[in-house]
Amino acid sequence: MLFETDDHQRLRQQVRDFATSQVAPLVARMESSATVDTILPVRIAEQGWIGATIPREYGGMAAGHLTKTIIIEELSRVSGAAGAIAQASQLGVAKILHFGTEQQKQQWLPPIAAGTCLPTIAVTEEGSGGHVVGMQATARRDGDHYILNGRKQYVGNSHIGHVHGVIVRTGTPDTRPSKSLSAFLVEADRPGVRLIEHQPAMGLRGFSFGDIEFNEVAVPATNMIGAEGDGLHIAYSSSVLYGRPNLTAVSLGIHQAVLDLTIAFIQQRRRYGAPLADLPTIQHKIGVIQHRLMGARHSAYRAAHLLDRGEPCDSELMSAKYGNVEAAMDSARTAMEIHAAAGLRTDRPLERYYRDAACIYAPAGTGDIQLLRLAQHALGTNRRQWSQRFAQLTALAPSTPPTATKDHAA
C-alpha cells in the first residue's frame, strides 16, 4: 500500500492481533455498561504505543505519525473507543514534545512511553467551544505558584488521565487575545482537581471524554508549558498536528469495519436462492463505500506521510480529517440501507459503528471549522503552518525504523 513499508505492515498485523485478542472480548461489556473502562487503557498503554512519536532518548518508539495512524486505525477497526483512548493520550504528548522544557520532557515522556502515565489536554469550555480565546478558566500568579480555577469539557481520557495539559487565561483585559492564554501540566491528584460524574455518550462507550473542575488548584510555576501567553499556540498546534490526524485514523478504522461487516452480511444473507451480493443494486452501494474508503485512506496516509517528512501539510491534515469523518458517516448510513432492519439490532455491530462514527465529527474542530481553515488557505489568509514551524520535531530521522519500539519487535 502507498506510503507503507514492510515495517508498517508488520506493526499493523501486531496491532490487529492485539485488537482481536485483547480488545474485542471487552466490547460487549463496554457497550452494555456505558461506563468508563479502566482495563483497556492499561492494556493499550502497556504496548508502548502511546509513545509512537516520542524520541528514543525518552523511551519512545520514535516511529512517526504514519505509524501512529496505523495503530489508531487498527484499534478503531475493532473498537472506536479503543482507538479514541489511544489517540487522546497520544494527543496529550504533543504539548510536551513541542513546548516542554528539558526537565519536563525528562519527567513526563519516559513514563508516558512506558505506559504508566496517560496525559490529556483540556481546552474546551461550555461557553466558548471551538473559539478558544473565549475561554473563562483562569490562572493567577501567587508567588512561585499559579492558582487555577475553571471547568473544562469533553476532555479525552478525562477520568483515567494522570496529568492534564490545561489551557487557561492568564492575561488581563488589556492583553492581546492571542497572548492571553497559558498552559500548565496539572497532576490529576492535585488538591482542587475534581472529576465531574461521567455522562455516557451516544457512542465510543468505555471512552471518557468528560468534564474536569479546577477549584483553587495550586500549580508550581515550573509546571507551565512554554512561556506565559503561549497557550493559544499550544492548543492550536496540538489540535492541528496531533488531534486532526489522530481522529482521522479513528474514522478510517471505523470505516474499514463498516465495509468488512457489510461484505460479510451480503455474502451470507440470501434472497431467492442467491446471496445479496449478486444483486447489482447492492454491488453499487458496496462500490460507493469502497470508493469512499480508498479516497479516505489515501488522504489520511498522505497527510501523515508529509508530517513525517517535515513538509508543510496543515491543509492536508485538515482535509483528511474532514473527508474521513464525512466518508465514514456516509458509509455507515449506506451500510444501514443495505442491512435495513437487521442493522438496527444490537446483536450486530453496525449500529455501534454508526454511533461511533458520529462522535468523531466535533473533536479537534467540527467540519465547519475544517472548511473555514481550508478556505483561508485557498484565499491566502492563513497566518502560519504549524507543520512548518515544528517540522524539525515532527519529521522522522532518515535512519529511524518506522516501527522501532523498546519492547516489541518491528
Side-chain angles (χ1 to χ4, degrees):
M1 189 175 294
L2 190 63
F3 307 121
E4 279 190 85
T5 66
D6 290 343
D7 289 320
H8 286 126
Q9 292 172 6
R10 282 190 287 270
L11 177 67
R12 181 186 296 281
Q13 189 60 55
Q14 176 189 334
V15 181
R16 186 173 295 179
D17 292 343
F18 170 87
T20 301
S21 63
Q22 300 296 315
V23 178
L26 302 179
V27 171
R29 178 179 55 77
M30 292 194 297
E31 285 294 308
S32 62
S33 69
T35 58
V36 177
D37 189 79
T38 57
I39 298 174
L40 186 53
V42 173
R43 290 185 181 180
I44 293 172
E46 286 176 344
Q47 308 309 305
W49 295 330
I50 306 303
T53 60
I54 294 177
R56 288 178 180 169
E57 59 262 36
Y58 303 110
M61 295 172 65
H65 291 270
L66 181 54
T67 290
K68 175 164 59 66
T69 292
I70 291 169
I71 291 168
I72 298 169
E73 176 193 354
E74 287 298 330
L75 291 172
S76 302
R77 191 173 179 176
V78 170
S79 164
I85 289 166
Q87 71 81 26
S89 280
Q90 289 167 334
L91 167 62
V93 168
K95 59 188 178 293
I96 304 173
L97 278 179
H98 296 163
F99 288 88
T101 64
E102 184 58 33
Q103 188 278 329
Q104 288 168 342
K105 292 177 181 179
Q106 293 285 354
Q107 179 180 357
W108 293 109
L109 293 181
I112 292 171
T116 58
C117 175
L118 292 175
T120 77
I121 187 166
V123 179
T124 306
E125 297 182 11
E126 182 176 23
S128 55
H131 185 238
V132 177
V133 294
M135 68 173 57
Q136 298 301 309
T138 61
R140 69 178 189 273
R141 187 71 186 247
D142 183 14
D144 59 357
H145 283 70
Y146 282 83
I147 310 300
L148 275 60
N149 284 282
R151 178 167 172 168
K152 297 295 181 178
Q153 286 191 319
Y154 312 127
V155 179
N157 285 343
S158 53
H159 286 57
I160 60 171
H162 300 98
V163 60
H164 306 298
V166 187
I167 313 294
V168 291
R169 183 173 298 282
T170 51
T172 67
D174 297 329
T175 306
R176 185 157 48 100
S178 63
K179 300 300 290 182
S180 64
L181 308 179
S182 301
F184 297 87
L185 291 167
V186 182
E187 297 88 342
D189 57 359
R190 277 197 176 273
V193 177
R194 185 172 77 91
L195 292 173
I196 307 303
E197 183 179 357
H198 178 254
Q199 298 295 317
M202 66 176 286
L204 301 179
R205 293 177 180 172
F207 171 59
S208 62
F209 53 113
D211 299 2
I212 307 175
E213 188 175 81
F214 302 90
N215 184 18
E216 292 290 294
V217 179
V219 179
T222 54
N223 278 30
M224 178 181 284
I225 313 172
E228 187 165 310
D230 280 346
L232 185 64
H233 290 176
I234 291 171
Y236 279 171
S237 61
S238 296
S239 178
V240 172
L241 301 181
Y242 276 72
R244 283 164 172 80
N246 288 7
L247 292 161
T248 295
V250 177
S251 288
L252 181 58
I254 295 170
H255 200 166
Q256 182 66 60
V258 166
L259 178 61
D260 293 343
L261 177 71
T262 305
I263 287 176
F265 175 77
I266 64 173
Q267 289 176 336
Q268 178 186 24
R269 184 62 59 96
R270 300 178 69 83
R271 284 292 183 272
Y272 309 113
L276 285 178
D278 288 353
L279 295 176
T281 53
I282 298 297
Q283 292 176 5
H284 174 82
K285 290 181 183 293
I286 291 296
V288 169
I289 296 176
Q290 173 72 355
H291 165 71
R292 292 185 189 128
L293 180 59
M294 290 174 66
R297 175 168 285 112
H298 184 271
S299 68
Y301 286 12
R302 180 172 181 270
H305 175 72
L306 290 173
L307 199 55
D308 282 340
R309 288 172 57 89
E311 298 185 20
C313 58
D314 287 26
S315 292
E316 285 82 358
L317 293 166
M318 295 171 190
S319 179
K321 200 268 183 175
Y322 175 79
N324 268 266
V325 170
E326 295 293 325
M329 291 194 295
D330 288 345
S331 289
R333 175 169 177 167
T334 302
M336 275 289 189
E337 294 170 357
I338 294 172
H339 282 73
L344 303 176
R345 291 183 171 177
T346 57
D347 62 337
R348 296 180 184 275
L350 182 58
E351 57 85 28
R352 169 165 61 90
Y353 301 156
Y354 192 90
R355 291 184 285 104
D356 287 353
C359 290
I360 312 303
Y361 176 81
T366 65
D368 289 335
I369 292 293
Q370 311 306 328
L371 293 177
L372 173 63
R373 301 298 181 225
L374 288 169
Q376 291 171 343
H377 176 80
L379 294 168
T381 57
N382 56 321
R383 297 180 179 178
R384 60 169 53 86
Q385 288 230 34
W386 296 109
S387 52
Q388 191 169 22
R389 176 174 173 179
F390 292 104
Q392 290 184 325
L393 294 173
T394 61
L396 280 173
S399 61
T400 302
T403 57
T405 172
K406 98 175 142 0
D407 293 320
H408 296 88

